[in-house]
Amino acid sequence: MLLKNGTLADGTPADLWLYEGKIRAIGQNLPANGDKVIDLEGRTVLPGFVDLHCHWRTPGFEYKEDLESGSRAAAAGGYTFVNLMPNTKPICSTAEQAREVKQKAEQLGLCGVNQTVSITENFDGTSVQRLLDMPDDVKFITEDGKGVQNNSVMAKAFAICREKGITLMSHAEDMEISPWDYRLAENLETVRNIHLSEYYGTRLHMAHVSTKEAIFAISGAKQKGIPVTCEVAPHHIWFHDLDYRVNPPIRQKEDVEALVAAIKAGYVDAIATDHAPHTPEDKAKGMAGMVGSETAFGVCYTKLCLQEGLSLEALSNLMSYYPACIMELENKGKVLVGWDADLTVVDLEHPYIVNPDTFQSKSKNTPFAGETLYGKVWMTLKNGKISFSEK
């Protein structure tokens, strides 16, 4: 395939020749040589996005999202690789369960997948002994949606992860405190987990950071050389003081300002969607979460690049290269010759209005309905094959 008349993130005009799943040439006026030719008409070519935090609800909750609808939603949002959370039914607590989900998802060919495994067995909050026998293909463990409440249990998990080379993903929430103070609940567990990371030397990834205090603590930890990375969700940098149920909650204006400042200062490693599909009935019952795959780039480009002056290259690193590095994915996250042809083509020139009725996801739960954004995904390619197209 030959992509003609594209523009790279730095503004350079370029054609891209894709062959056998790789980027084989980047230049101007490349010959077609009988290949399929797609005229990008000046649209911008970015590396496929990598989502560190996503829920596809399989197994057990396929009425909200399944592997196919999740894959299509990811592709429509420009994503070529996602990291799935384990709070399914049954909870993903073994490498065998993780492999089964991954294999089924990758058979669809629309999006690469890693399935994370729970920290404690079946989220029981106490059992971490099985982590000692986790095989090398388990790269991340997390108790997403709950967090491990017991300090001793969490310390044991950190110690095991150091020995096994596993990254521990933290949902920071003290659930005894969150019923009456969500802010304090996030802040206390953030500080605890940073200290455990420093004490044991274990890689820690902080999920969906949302408060000014939490991002300040993480920034300080990075300055000290503690092996901690963090992600921020698009909705936490767009909204403030909004009564829409997500966990952690939409915060205040000063929190948004602190998160954006940390992004611009280089303390945030990734933008992650926390794509969390629900039915209207479940949302009415108070379930926390929103779908995010199909709005993430538009929200981040509009907010961070157009309003806050962040460069498109910096945003690309946050959505592609840095999360690919955290996940130890090779040859992904950059538009370079020899790298995987996982690409996202975006239209930066024309505004569009978010319409959940057009989402590929089964679920439509989003507070972004009706928002005007720039940066609509026009085409996504996975291994050089079109996984989504507006054409």
Side-chain angles (χ1 to χ4, degrees), residues 129-145:
Q129 195 68 18
R130 83 197 192 294
L131 298 178
L132 290 167
D133 299 319
M134 282 290 167
D136 291 342
D137 59 340
V138 173
K139 300 294 185 183
F140 295 88
I141 60 171
T142 180
E143 213 91 333
D144 192 63

Side-chain angles (χ1 to χ4, degrees), residues 152-306:
S152 175
V153 172
M154 197 59 157
K156 291 175 183 177
F158 268 87
I160 294 171
C161 285
R162 178 195 61 193
E163 298 302 319
K164 301 288 292 184
I166 296 172
T167 298
L168 197 150
M169 293 186 69
S170 164
H171 173 105
E173 179 183 359
D174 186 317
M175 297 187 73
E176 291 185 355
I177 293 176
S178 56
W180 52 274
D181 194 329
Y182 264 115
R183 175 180 294 275
L184 184 60
E186 178 175 346
N187 294 342
L188 284 178
E189 291 243 329
T190 297
V191 172
R192 180 198 71 174
N193 293 343
I194 287 173
H195 181 73
L196 288 172
S197 174
E198 180 179 24
Y199 187 81
Y200 286 106
T202 304
R203 290 196 305 271
L204 169 66
H205 179 76
M206 300 301 302
H208 44 54
V209 180
S210 69
T211 71
K212 62 178 183 180
E213 295 89 356
I215 197 62
F216 291 162
I218 292 165
S219 301
K222 285 173 168 282
Q223 292 171 15
K224 290 178 65 177
I226 299 171
V228 56
T229 55
C230 71
E231 68 189 43
V232 167
H235 49 273
H236 284 133
I237 60 172
W238 185 272
F239 295 112
H240 60 83
D241 303 298
L242 177 72
D243 185 20
Y244 189 92
R245 179 92 167 90
V246 289
N247 187 14
I250 303 298
R251 301 294 187 180
Q252 299 171 359
K253 185 177 181 181
E254 60 187 11
D255 298 298
V256 174
E257 291 172 347
L259 294 178
V260 171
I263 289 170
K264 294 165 80 171
Y267 291 118
V268 173
D269 300 278
I271 302 290
T273 67
D274 198 4
H275 176 83
H278 291 298
T279 64
E281 294 78 13
D282 284 342
K283 282 301 292 181
K285 294 175 184 176
M287 295 294 287
M290 56 166 284
V291 290
S293 297
E294 296 173 72
T295 53
F297 180 75
V299 169
C300 293
Y301 178 72
T302 304
K303 172 69 177 183
L304 296 175
C305 296
L306 296 185

Side-chain angles (χ1 to χ4, degrees), residues 72-85:
R72 293 192 182 283
Y79 286 91
T80 53
F81 203 100
V82 301
N83 195 35
L84 299 178
M85 298 298 103

Side-chain angles (χ1 to χ4, degrees), residues 350-373:
H350 301 97
Y352 70 99
I353 298 174
V354 177
N355 178 7
D357 291 338
T358 67
F359 285 176
Q360 297 292 315
S361 173
K362 284 185 178 182
S363 298
K364 317 299 177 186
N365 52 306
T366 176
F368 286 107
E371 295 281 353
T372 298
L373 304 176

